[in-house]
Amino acid sequence: MEMSLQLKKILISNAFFLIAEFLSEAIYLSVDPYMRAYEHLRQLESVFNGSQIAKIIDSRSKQYPLDTYVIGDFGWRSLTTGEEEAKDPELSIRILPDFAKLPLSLRLGVLGMPGSTAYFGFLEICEPKAGETVVVSGAAGAVGNHVGQIAKIKGCTVIGIAGDDEKGKWLVDELGFDHFINYKKPYLAKTLAQYAPSGVDCYFDNVGGEISSTVLSQMNLFGRVSVCGSISSYNADYSHLPKATITQGFIVMKQLKIEGFVVHRWDNRQNEAFQQNLQWINEGKLKYKETVTEGFENIFKAFISMLQGGNIGKAIIKV
Amino acid sequence: MEMSLQLKKILISNAFFLIAEFLSEAIYLSVDPYMRAYEHLRQLESVFNGSQIAKIIDSRSKQYPLDTYVIGDFGWRSLTTGEEEAKDPELSIRILPDFAKLPLSLRLGVLGMPGSTAYFGFLEICEPKAGETVVVSGAAGAVGNHVGQIAKIKGCTVIGIAGDDEKGKWLVDELGFDHFINYKKPYLAKTLAQYAPSGVDCYFDNVGGEISSTVLSQMNLFGRVSVCGSISSYNADYSHLPKATITQGFIVMKQLKIEGFVVHRWDNRQNEAFQQNLQWINEGKLKYKETVTEGFENIFKAFISMLQGGNIGKAIIKV
């Protein structure tokens, strides 16, 4: 580790001012579905993107002193050198706030980016009202389970869609979802109609494709759809995208409003989501689960497993 | 005609008050794409829905005196009896305003429902800004050509999509569209990318399906889509709907906003659209074209022809 810092020092020796550097070591790495969508933008030999919780293990910086815990978009690497005033905005780094003895790793999940995604993406776009029926696809993922729980807090009937009965049991028995649908079983449309006899008012979409076409076909007048992900189709090439039943007829007849978002839209309100999610956790209204994979060398395996639906809740790597 | 009125009189003889009835005769009937979508809701032996321009040919009503011209949702029939205070809201009737010697039939098109649809559906949902690139599908239809002209008035670059080069010639040479794409020719995506090198900001969708998937794949960040129709898929049965390339990936990555609408949403602002469209016509900024079919007996033929793309501009029947 000292060597790495030495090397870095040599490389920046032509700087005109003293740089307040630090060296950090990863403790937890995040694997998230969005990474698949951006993967094709990365070049060979570049660092794969992603957030991590890290500890400062050497420092010339007053801002990031030794032994501080930070969260940063450092990508998939164990050691990171940085400067106080980072010039690369992707290396954004924040000192972890204290959140009352809860695990540090939550800052990658329920108290981090996925938590903000659930909070803003659902509340701002779906605008749920008490008594309405909400459907969440990818319901057992980090964002999906969180959205369903917020919908319950807001007094909605919540139907979760995922591909595994064990996930469904967790959603209904532990998180309080009203219904669960395993999309791998037949009769998705029929089962949805049975669980949502008055139609669907809000749909939080993590998957896209045929599941979403089915949900859209059962929506109510002026229904709202928040499109958070399209895990069924993360592919760079248009001609290889899958096809699904077209939805424009339902969009017109039911006057639906569909909006896609990226959570950075609300970057300046992140603290609002953090504080509210923290409060809900402390009140016992918001539960969380992590699927932890041990060892840096297993990060690819964990990533693929998550894309195949192997995780329940937030997928993280413990380095 | 006198017999019809007599018959009606007998049928309502048990009414407790004197009813101010009128009898009207159709002059122009409207055929519109939306009728296909609602057709399955109609029962055998019911009257097919639709607006008409009619002349009052007998009357006991002070509100609708003899020889008045009215527009009403009387459906596909030549003779209609009505009352001053209609109890069936589908029989809504308005006396035709005077619009400066323009043809009466325009009240079914550019100065009627399709004109309001173009005006509100485009401006309220797409919120176009000068300099933006706008794509219109079904561009040579009553609503589509009108939307493209409004987009030109607002200072946008306008690309029209339709299925016939003669239509394209009209759109570009006479209406001032910047580009035309014939979707029946190959390379829709490639041609669109060529005409919209900086991407598409607004899409006014009359057709749905694969054409719309292609347009959505080329939209810019925060693009807006107004879904007015889905003529590619007007079918009552979900399992028989066509499939198209899924779009959720683009919706997320580009944070698109897609909204379907039915023009009745803006019923209380109809006069605004009427006055603005009338002004644009009088200023020479808004042109119109009608495809007129003569004879009540040809209404089915005209309807089918319109659904197959046989019309340019507004399709109407001259009785």
Side-chain angles (χ1 to χ4, degrees):
Chain A
M1 285 175 281
E2 280 301 316
M3 262 199 61
S4 175
L5 190 59
Q6 289 297 336
L7 186 65
K8 180 82 178 176
K9 271 183 179 170
I10 293 163
L11 291 172
I12 59 165
S13 60
N14 60 344
F16 292 106
F17 48 91
L18 187 69
I19 291 171
E21 274 197 319
F22 63 85
L23 175 68
S24 73
E25 183 169 24
I27 299 173
Y28 295 106
L29 295 166
S30 187
V31 285
D32 299 282
Y34 78 84
M35 295 171 171
R36 178 66 188 88
Y38 289 90
E39 184 271 330
H40 67 278
L41 301 175
R42 296 277 154 192
Q43 296 178 332
L44 271 179
E45 300 186 30
S46 70
V47 177
F48 203 95
N49 56 334
S51 292
Q52 62 171 249
I53 307 285
K55 188 179 179 180
I56 304 293
I57 56 170
D58 197 355
S59 180
R60 308 278 179 279
S61 156
K62 281 179 190 157
Q63 200 175 347
Y64 303 110
L66 201 67
D67 294 333
T68 312
Y69 290 95
V70 297
I71 179 169
D73 297 331
F74 298 161
W76 288 5
R77 55 182 162 191
S78 50
L79 292 176
T80 305
T81 52
E83 301 165 17
E84 263 188 19
E85 301 186 18
K87 278 165 199 110
D88 180 353
E90 290 208 4
L91 277 187
S92 72
I93 177 171
R94 285 94 58 199
I95 292 182
L96 279 180
D98 176 29
F99 35 88
K101 315 296 177 206
L102 288 166
L104 275 178
S105 58
L106 298 193
R107 194 61 182 75
L108 295 177
V110 68
L111 291 174
M113 182 276 286
S116 295
T117 302
Y119 179 87
F120 292 117
F122 179 54
L123 294 176
E124 296 286 321
I125 293 180
C126 284
E127 300 183 274
K129 290 163 200 66
E132 290 191 321
T133 297
V134 173
V135 172
V136 185
S137 61
V143 174
N145 87 76
H146 193 148
V147 166
Q149 292 186 81
I150 296 177
K152 286 312 299 175
I153 291 168
K154 296 293 177 187
C156 301
T157 297
V158 180
I159 301 164
I161 302 177
D164 176 307
D165 285 343
E166 189 197 342
K167 291 176 179 176
K169 208 173 144 50
W170 173 61
L171 294 174
V172 173
D173 293 352
E174 295 190 40
L175 304 189
F177 278 51
D178 296 280
H179 303 285
F180 167 72
I181 302 177
N182 186 335
Y183 71 84
K184 289 180 180 164
K185 294 185 176 169
Y187 307 121
L188 171 61
K190 206 174 156 188
T191 312
L192 180 58
Q194 182 187 321
Y195 290 154
S198 310
V200 177
D201 301 293
C202 303
Y203 174 41
F204 192 92
D205 188 3
N206 283 304
V207 302
E210 198 61 46
I211 292 174
S212 297
S213 291
T214 301
V215 177
L216 262 65
S217 76
Q218 297 193 26
M219 291 198 72
N220 289 330
L221 193 64
F222 298 120
R224 288 86 66 200
V225 179
S226 177
V227 189
C228 173
S230 180
I231 200 168
S232 70
S233 70
Y234 283 153
N235 196 315
D237 184 352
Y238 181 82
S239 63
H240 288 93
L241 287 175
K243 291 179 188 250
T245 303
I246 75 170
T247 56
Q248 282 90 359
F250 309 111
I251 297 173
V252 175
M253 302 276 276
K254 296 299 170 62
Q255 306 196 50
L256 305 181
K257 197 185 277 187
I258 299 172
E259 189 169 348
F261 71 94
V262 170
V263 66
H264 299 299
R265 186 192 293 195
W266 296 287
D267 267 356
N268 62 347
R269 291 172 59 193
Q270 267 192 40
N271 193 51
E272 175 190 335
F274 175 82
Q275 293 299 341
Q276 181 60 78
N277 287 329
L278 181 60
Q279 187 188 327
W280 281 332
I281 289 174
N282 289 331
E283 292 170 351
K285 293 176 180 166
L286 177 59
K287 294 170 183 168
Y288 56 85
K289 191 165 196 148
E290 294 174 327
T291 295
V292 183
T293 302
E294 304 239 349
F296 187 85
E297 66 279 11
N298 292 318
I299 193 163
F300 286 103
K301 208 189 291 176
F303 182 51
I304 302 295
S305 168
M306 176 207 58
L307 290 173
Q308 291 172 339
N311 61 305
I312 297 188
K314 179 69 184 93
I316 56 169
I317 311 297
K318 191 168 185 303
V319 178
Chain B
M1 288 175 278
E2 279 303 313
M3 264 201 57
S4 174
L5 190 59
Q6 289 296 335
L7 185 63
K8 179 85 178 173
K9 271 184 180 169
I10 293 163
L11 289 172
I12 59 162
S13 60
N14 59 347
F16 292 107
F17 51 92
L18 187 68
I19 291 171
E21 274 197 320
F22 63 84
L23 176 68
S24 73
E25 183 169 26
I27 299 173
Y28 295 106
L29 296 166
S30 187
V31 284
D32 299 281
Y34 79 86
M35 295 171 170
R36 177 66 189 88
Y38 290 89
E39 183 269 332
H40 67 278
L41 302 175
R42 296 278 154 192
Q43 295 177 331
L44 272 179
E45 298 187 30
S46 71
V47 177
F48 203 95
N49 56 334
S51 293
Q52 63 172 248
I53 307 284
K55 187 179 181 180
I56 304 293
I57 57 170
D58 198 354
S59 181
R60 308 280 179 278
S61 157
K62 281 177 187 157
Q63 200 175 346
Y64 304 111
L66 202 66
D67 294 334
T68 312
Y69 290 96
V70 297
I71 177 168
D73 297 331
F74 298 161
W76 287 6
R77 53 182 164 192
S78 51
L79 292 175
T80 305
T81 53
E83 301 165 17
E84 262 189 18
E85 302 185 18
K87 278 166 199 110
D88 179 354
E90 291 210 4
L91 277 185
S92 73
I93 177 171
R94 284 97 56 199
I95 292 182
L96 278 181
D98 176 28
F99 36 84
K101 315 291 177 213
L102 289 166
L104 274 179
S105 57
L106 297 193
R107 195 59 182 77
L108 296 177
V110 68
L111 291 174
M113 183 276 288
S116 295
T117 302
Y119 179 86
F120 292 117
F122 179 55
L123 294 177
E124 295 286 319
I125 293 181
C126 284
E127 300 183 273
K129 290 162 201 66
E132 289 191 323
T133 297
V134 174
V135 171
V136 186
S137 62
V143 175
N145 87 75
H146 192 147
V147 166
Q149 292 185 82
I150 295 178
K152 286 312 299 175
I153 291 168
K154 296 295 177 184
C156 302
T157 297
V158 180
I159 301 164
I161 302 177
D164 178 304
D165 286 343
E166 190 198 341
K167 291 176 179 177
K169 207 173 145 50
W170 174 60
L171 294 175
V172 173
D173 293 352
E174 295 191 40
L175 304 190
F177 279 50
D178 296 279
H179 303 285
F180 166 72
I181 302 178
N182 186 336
Y183 71 84
K184 289 179 181 166
K185 294 186 177 168
Y187 308 118
L188 171 60
K190 205 174 155 186
T191 313
L192 179 57
Q194 182 187 321
Y195 290 155
S198 311
V200 177
D201 301 294
C202 303
Y203 174 41
F204 192 91
D205 187 3
N206 282 304
V207 303
E210 198 61 46
I211 292 173
S212 297
S213 291
T214 301
V215 178
L216 263 65
S217 77
Q218 296 192 26
M219 291 197 71
N220 289 329
L221 193 65
F222 298 120
R224 290 85 65 199
V225 179
S226 178
V227 190
C228 173
S230 180
I231 200 168
S232 70
S233 71
Y234 284 151
N235 195 314
D237 184 352
Y238 182 81
S239 63
H240 289 90
L241 287 175
K243 292 179 188 253
T245 302
I246 74 170
T247 56
Q248 282 90 359
F250 309 112
I251 297 172
V252 175
M253 302 275 278
K254 296 299 172 62
Q255 306 196 49
L256 305 180
K257 197 185 275 185
I258 300 172
E259 189 169 348
F261 72 94
V262 171
V263 66
H264 299 299
R265 183 191 297 195
W266 296 286
D267 267 357
N268 63 345
R269 291 172 59 191
Q270 267 191 42
N271 193 50
E272 174 189 336
F274 174 83
Q275 293 300 342
Q276 180 60 75
N277 287 329
L278 181 58
Q279 187 188 324
W280 281 332
I281 289 174
N282 288 332
E283 292 170 351
K285 294 175 181 168
L286 177 61
K287 294 171 182 168
Y288 54 86
K289 189 163 196 148
E290 293 174 327
T291 295
V292 183
T293 302
E294 303 240 350
F296 186 86
E297 67 281 11
N298 292 320
I299 193 164
F300 286 103
K301 207 188 294 175
F303 182 50
I304 302 294
S305 167
M306 176 206 58
L307 291 173
Q308 292 173 337
N311 61 306
I312 297 188
K314 180 71 185 92
I316 57 170
I317 313 296
K318 191 169 186 301
V319 179

